[in-house]
Every structure is written in structure tokens, then in C-alpha cells.
Amino acid sequence: MQLNHGITQHNSKRLRVVIAGGSMGGLCAGLALRGIGCDVEIFERASYNEANLTPSAVQSRGAGLVVQMEINRFLAEHGLTTAETLGVTSWKRQYIIGDGSIIWEESTPQLMTSWDMLYRQLRKVFPDQHYHQGSKVIGVEQSDDCVVVRFEDGRKEKCDLLIGADGIDSTIRQQLLPDAVPQYAGYVAWRGLIDESLLSSDVAKFLAEQFTLFHGPGMQALCYLVPGPNGELDEGKRRINWLWYFNVLDGDELKTVMTDSQGGVRKFFLPQGEVRESVIQQMRVAAKGYLPEIFQYLFEVTEKPFIQPIYDLSLPRMVFGRVCLIGDAAFVVRPHTAAGTFKAVTNAIELAQELQESSGDVVAALEKWEPIQLAMGNYLKLLGVNLGNRSGLGHYVLRDTLLH
Ligand SMILES: Cc1cc2nc3c(=O)[nH]c(=O)nc-3n(C[C@H](O)[C@H](O)[C@H](O)COP(=O)(O)OP(=O)(O)OC[C@H]3O[C@@H](n4cnc5c(N)ncnc54)[C@H](O)[C@@H]3O)c2cc1C
């Protein structure tokens, strides 16, 4: 991207941009827009930073991530880490069957990293004084020439452009498009992160630097290595990220799974330590019936697994005057595409490019930006649904109800 200094409006004032949400989409948009000379303020509801990334803050956004080329390029352009230091390379995919034997292998070099690693990199170059934690956006009003953003603590911020990068449960989307609600896809991902050092040497060797997959009726399990909690890449210090996609019927069955240890029902995420022991025990039994030994073992070794139900979301529009939605606030695509972060980053980079090309005319830039982003979101959404269907995930009930 061409960088310049000071994108201005007709009155020669620098563009002031407010971003709601300081995760992948928000940080990338913040950096890209600062790169073209905008004044950017990011407001993040959660209170976490490089020093105190809490486990739930990390896990809720995809503990492990497949790094796409665009992300690598973005980091390099901002003087950040290179591929060699960002993640662990998985050299090939190995597909195993019930007895644990490998039935197919293919060379598919891919870089795997973790949400915490990527977050830390991006935060390093976004100035602290413009990143406001613990700031929840609750509403927005706009006129022809400005947007006013309201916060839970009563504060108001005026800007030329508001970017809603506030994720699957976006407050801004709920205000602007109340009928657009994420649709449960009919299955959940049971997930875990295990220190590599806790694995038996046989298992560690079998999984090392491979993407291991198992397909069963109405389920899929997979795992790969990601950096350690502080970005460690040395053998023995990394982590195994595993997922087990499992059909769970909407309604009572989903409610049972998603009820936390305090009795509340979570919608988008059930963090570590909050999954009820009785549900974990039922799944451990199910694992013995359905999964190859190696995945049973990963489940067994994981003290506190966590659960992420899979949702689909697509929008008819992403632009509302001087407000736009990016990343998961606009489109939620299935994780099989490994493209959620790529999509958020691409939305952000291309927004900066359009703003630069339109010399700071926000409305004109957004009008040009929207159609391509909608096309990308719709394409990835369809791709994800197809990949899920092909694995029998979702609305295909291929087993008896397990949970009561
Ligand atoms: C099981 C699973 C596996 C995945 N694997 C991958 C993968 O391999 N590769 C990949 O690229 N993607 C993957 N993803 C998707 C990826 O996690 C998301 O697409 C990506 O994190 C989206 O980034 P985002 O910034 O748009 O939203 P989020 O990361 O959800 O961030 C939204 C931010 O907004 C904040 N916020 C929310 N409301 C407010 C408010 N009112 N005011 C202020 N702040 C607010 C939140 O606290 C949060 O920090 C996976 C997802 C799942 C479910």
C-alpha cells in the first residue's frame, strides 16, 4: 500500500476515524488508515492488552489461525514479524481413519499461528494513547457530514467515519440492521489448546508439523501446532490446537451444551472453565465411541476444553452513510475456510485504499468499497457452507442424540 501523510477533507482537516472493536479487523483498519494519514481512535469493549491477554479473550477469537498470504504481507509492510517468526509451518495434511492409520497424505505447506500471537504483533505498532480499552460502544447517530458515537460510560465521540469492527455480536449492526441475525449452523466446535510438552513423545512425533484430520459421520476432528503462549516456536514449547466439530441440534440439545457452570446459557462462546463437567464427561464418552485414539487422547489431556458454536451471517449491505461494518460484524464465515481473519484484514486494507483514491471523500470511498467486499463475503460464506455440508456437518442428523 502507498503510504502518505495526512489525508484531508475539502476543509483541509485530517479525517477523524473511530473504530468500534480492537481485534483483528479493528487493529488492521486502524493501522491501514493511520498509514494513509487519518487520525484513528480504536475503542475496545474488553480490557486486555499485551501484558494480560486473558485465556477467554484469546480463545473467543479462534485460538489457532491459518495464516494467509495477505496477513503476512500486511505485517511485513508494518515492519512486523516475518513468516519465520510468526508461526509454525505445517508441511502436509494427513487424513486418518478410525483405527488411527493414515489413508491420505498431501503436501500442503501452511503457516499456523495463534490469535494471541497475531494480536500482540498488531498492538505493538498501534499507539497505546489511541487504543481505548474497556470502552463499549452503545449507539450511533449521523448527519450528512459527521457521525456521533455513544459509549456506555456516557462519553460521546464525533468523527468523519465510523468503522464497526465489533465482531459477531456487533452492537452497530444490531442498531443499523436489526433483522440481520447470525444463524446457528447446526454444529459446535469443541476446542482445546495443549502445551506440546504435555504430550507423550509418540503423539508429539505423529502430530509434529502436520495438519491431522479425521472425518466421521456428522463430525470432523483436526489439530495442528501453533506457537507457545508467548510466541515460542521451539520444539517442546509450542501448543497443539485441536477442534472437534460435532452436530448438536438447535433447541434443548444446544442449550444443554451451552449452559455454563453458573446456569447461564451462552450464545457465541463457552470459555475454558465454564463448560460443565457433566457435559465434558458425556463428550469424553462420545469421543471413545467416535474418534480415533489420538483425538480421544487430545480430549483426555485437555483439562479445560471450550466450545464455539458455528454460525453463518451475511448482510445485504455493509455501508450506511458514513458508517461501515467490517470483519465478523458483517460476514461470519465457517472456520473451514480458514479465512475469517483474512476477510477482516482485506476489508480494512481495501477501505484504506479507496479512501486514499477518493482523496478523503468518505461517502464516495465507501460506495466504491462496498460491492467488492460484499462479493467476497458472500463467496466465502457459500464456500464455508459447502465445506461444512461435504463433511456432513450441520443440519444432517447422522447420529442419535447424545446429550440429555
Ligand atoms: C472455531 C473457529 C476457528 C477459526 N479459525 C480461523 C482460522 O483458522 N483462520 C482465520 O482467519 N479465522 C478463523 N476463525 C475466525 C476468526 O476468529 C474471526 O473471523 C476473526 O477474529 C474476526 O475478527 P474481527 O476483528 O472482525 O472480530 P472479533 O475478533 O470478534 O473482534 C471483535 C472485537 O470487538 C469488540 N467489541 C464487541 N462489541 C463491542 C462494542 N459494543 N464496543 C466496543 N468493542 C466491542 C470485541 O471485544 C472484540 O475484541 C475461526 C473462528 C472459529 C469460530
Side-chain angles (χ1 to χ4, degrees):
M1 187 196 316
Q2 285 285 314
L3 302 187
N4 77 10
H5 297 285
I7 193 161
T8 57
Q9 307 169 77
H10 308 304
N11 57 10
S12 311
K13 266 174 52 199
R14 283 162 69 98
L15 270 188
R16 184 163 199 271
V17 181
V18 165
I19 300 178
S23 173
M24 296 300 138
L27 277 168
C28 289
L31 288 168
L33 293 180
R34 278 177 62 83
I36 59 164
C38 298
D39 291 333
V40 182
E41 304 294 332
I42 294 182
F43 294 90
E44 167 55 50
R45 176 182 61 183
S47 296
Y48 53 83
N49 58 33
E50 195 177 339
N52 72 355
L53 278 174
T54 63
S56 68
V58 174
Q59 292 153 7
S60 63
R61 290 165 186 89
L65 294 174
V66 182
V67 182
Q68 310 286 357
M69 203 172 57
E70 290 71 10
I71 297 169
N72 254 333
R73 203 180 299 138
F74 186 82
L75 294 176
E77 276 173 7
H78 288 85
L80 290 165
T81 190
T82 57
E84 291 72 43
T85 50
L86 177 62
V88 182
T89 303
S90 153
W91 294 103
K92 62 179 186 192
R93 284 183 176 221
Q94 53 183 10
Y95 293 86
I96 61 172
I97 52 174
D99 66 6
S101 55
I102 299 171
I103 49 155
W104 179 256
E105 287 179 298
E106 56 190 352
S107 166
T108 50
Q110 270 181 313
L111 191 66
M112 320 307 248
T113 193
S114 55
W115 188 92
D116 46 359
M117 178 81 173
L118 209 50
Y119 174 81
R120 255 189 240 116
Q121 289 293 321
L122 296 169
R123 277 294 278 118
K124 242 193 233 174
V125 284
F126 194 88
D128 282 347
Q129 68 270 30
H130 299 297
Y131 189 95
H132 313 273
Q133 299 185 54
S135 300
K136 182 177 175 191
V137 171
I138 57 162
V140 51
E141 277 90 43
Q142 63 176 313
S143 62
D144 284 348
D145 55 4
C146 82
V147 183
V148 177
V149 189
R150 286 183 289 110
F151 293 84
E152 196 174 42
D153 61 5
R155 176 176 180 169
K156 286 184 180 174
E157 289 283 337
K158 211 168 151 185
C159 58
D160 304 301
L161 166 65
L162 168 66
I163 300 176
D166 48 348
I168 189 169
D169 202 17
S170 167
T171 305
I172 297 173
R173 184 189 69 235
Q174 284 168 41
Q175 180 184 328
L176 298 174
L177 275 181
D179 294 336
V181 178
Q183 299 298 316
Y184 173 57
Y187 57 109
V188 305
W190 278 82
R191 315 187 61 181
L193 270 176
I194 311 169
D195 288 345
E196 193 183 11
S197 60
L198 296 178
L199 301 176
S200 72
S201 57
D202 283 359
V203 171
K205 201 167 152 208
F206 185 76
L207 300 178
E209 292 166 29
Q210 323 261 13
F211 196 137
T212 305
L213 293 109
F214 164 76
H215 289 273
M219 70 186 67
Q220 185 189 60
L222 58 92
C223 67
Y224 52 84
L225 280 172
V226 297
N230 299 305
E232 298 90 340
L233 296 176
D234 294 336
E235 198 178 323
K237 296 190 171 159
R238 304 166 295 189
R239 291 170 292 177
I240 277 279
N241 174 60
W242 65 261
L243 290 103
W244 180 16
Y245 297 110
F246 194 82
N247 284 352
V248 173
L249 290 175
D250 203 356
D252 287 349
E253 191 172 330
L254 182 63
K255 210 169 139 194
T256 304
V257 171
M258 293 302 290
T259 300
D260 65 25
S261 44
Q262 267 72 52
V265 180
R266 307 283 185 116
K267 186 165 181 192
F268 295 117
F269 181 59
L270 192 48
Q272 257 193 350
E274 291 295 334
V275 186
R276 286 176 303 150
E277 201 46 46
S278 58
V279 177
I280 296 177
Q281 285 315 325
Q282 278 176 298
M283 280 312 280
R284 286 202 206 282
V285 172
K288 289 201 165 59
Y290 289 118
L291 294 181
E293 239 173 71
I294 198 152
F295 280 107
Q296 292 176 33
Y297 172 83
L298 293 182
F299 202 137
E300 204 61 50
V301 176
T302 307
E303 206 188 321
K304 292 178 179 168
F306 48 104
I307 305 175
Q308 205 150 6
I310 307 301
Y311 281 89
D312 296 312
L313 173 73
S314 58
L315 300 186
R317 49 195 286 219
M318 294 163 78
V319 171
F320 310 82
R322 291 176 168 270
V323 181
C324 68
L325 297 171
I326 67 169
D328 281 12
F331 282 83
V332 176
V333 300
R334 306 249 180 125
H336 324 296
T337 60
T341 304
F342 154 82
K343 178 171 60 61
V345 174
T346 304
N347 289 160
I349 295 172
E350 295 188 355
L351 180 58
Q353 282 166 347
E354 291 298 352
L355 270 173
Q356 190 168 41
E357 275 170 32
S358 69
S359 306
D361 182 335
V362 171
V363 175
L366 290 178
E367 257 173 38
K368 274 190 75 191
W369 172 81
E370 185 183 41
I372 296 169
Q373 311 309 313
L374 284 172
M376 174 175 67
N378 280 313
Y379 167 74
L380 289 173
K381 187 200 160 195
L382 261 181
L383 177 68
V385 171
N386 284 336
L387 290 171
N389 287 348
R390 265 171 40 186
S391 298
L393 296 168
H395 308 287
Y396 299 81
V397 184
L398 296 172
R399 58 162 185 77
D400 295 331
T401 293
L402 284 168
L403 299 162
H404 306 284

